[in-house]
Amino acid sequence: MAQELALGVMTQFHQPPREALEAVRALDIPTVQVGYPGQLDSADGVAAIQDASAQTGVEITTVFCGYAGESYADIPTVQATVGLVPPSTRAARLDMTHRIADFARRLGVARVAAHIGFVPEDAADPAYRDIVETIQGLCDRLAGQGQVFALETGQETARGLRQFIGDVGRPNLRVNFDPANMILYGKDKPIPALDLLMPWIDGVHCKDGRWPTQPGQLGEETPLGQGDVDLRRWLHRLIELGYRGPLTIEREISGEQQRRDIAAGRDLIRSLIAE
Ligand code: MG
């Protein structure tokens, strides 16, 4: 198990696992959440990842689901294309989620996370009941494998998410709290939201961003500390409420700038938690 408040980074295995985790180790970051690497979903792939993790000492804390056909272009497109909520793709994506959870189990990772999409805010909406039942079934399946399922925040209010968690009513349902998403989707204020959701938060994304300026558009992601999250207050409140899990940096760009922003974010988080 990672030490308390271990730094982490959201990582994709675009390179071979050993190279990818060595790059994380070079940043002096001891944990990762990884996007599901379909190309490594084999006995050899699992062995290669486990070997890379053992050799580098970088622990994988979560496998994140992603689905073909998703687009984050703007809010209506996210609503129509992302996660398990859209009915036309739900069955196929549920099968994919089962496959991802099985992969995570073979890898020895007990936490699977996803954006499930825009859950209707009206609990009387029949579509709401459908998605509650879908997540109940998924949680039950994962519980049988000793796993938890974490909901990535951002596409609903904290109050709406709390209602949903209560209605699903499964003990292995968790929250992966991304404060920037709440802002980027214009949904909620991330610091009061912590108080509402704390009992379920077992992972976070340290990410920053600015509020949207036009209806229907997403806000703009920024390097950590440069957006509207108020990282200092958010982090201090998170810790004050008792959170001790990994602090996983997420920076959704690529290349050298991403590496620099992650390194700067790491230094910023270290200095804030030492205050
Ligand atoms: Mg996130």
Side-chain angles (χ1 to χ4, degrees), residues 10 64 115 152-153 176-178 181 205 207 250 252:
M10 184 70 204
F64 233 93
H115 274 290
E152 170 85 344
T153 59
N176 195 74
F177 194 105
D178 184 324
N181 284 350
H205 282 166
K207 191 172 90 183
E250 182 176 41
E252 302 198 73

Side-chain angles (χ1 to χ4, degrees), residues 67-119:
Y67 307 104
E70 292 184 314
S71 167
Y72 289 83
D74 55 31
I75 289 173
T77 308
V78 174
Q79 246 161 347
T81 68
V82 167
L84 296 170
V85 171
S88 63
T89 49
R90 185 178 300 157
R93 288 179 178 181
L94 200 51
D95 283 349
M96 176 55 85
T97 310
H98 296 163
R99 184 189 300 184
I100 293 170
D102 188 56
F103 167 80
R105 181 187 55 74
R106 284 181 281 126
L107 204 52
V109 176
R111 186 170 185 268
V112 176
H115 274 290
I116 64 164
F118 274 86
V119 174

Side-chain angles (χ1 to χ4, degrees), residues 125-138:
D125 185 335
Y128 179 87
R129 182 41 52 192
D130 284 352
I131 191 70
V132 164
E133 288 174 5
T134 297
I135 301 304
Q136 286 173 331
L138 182 57

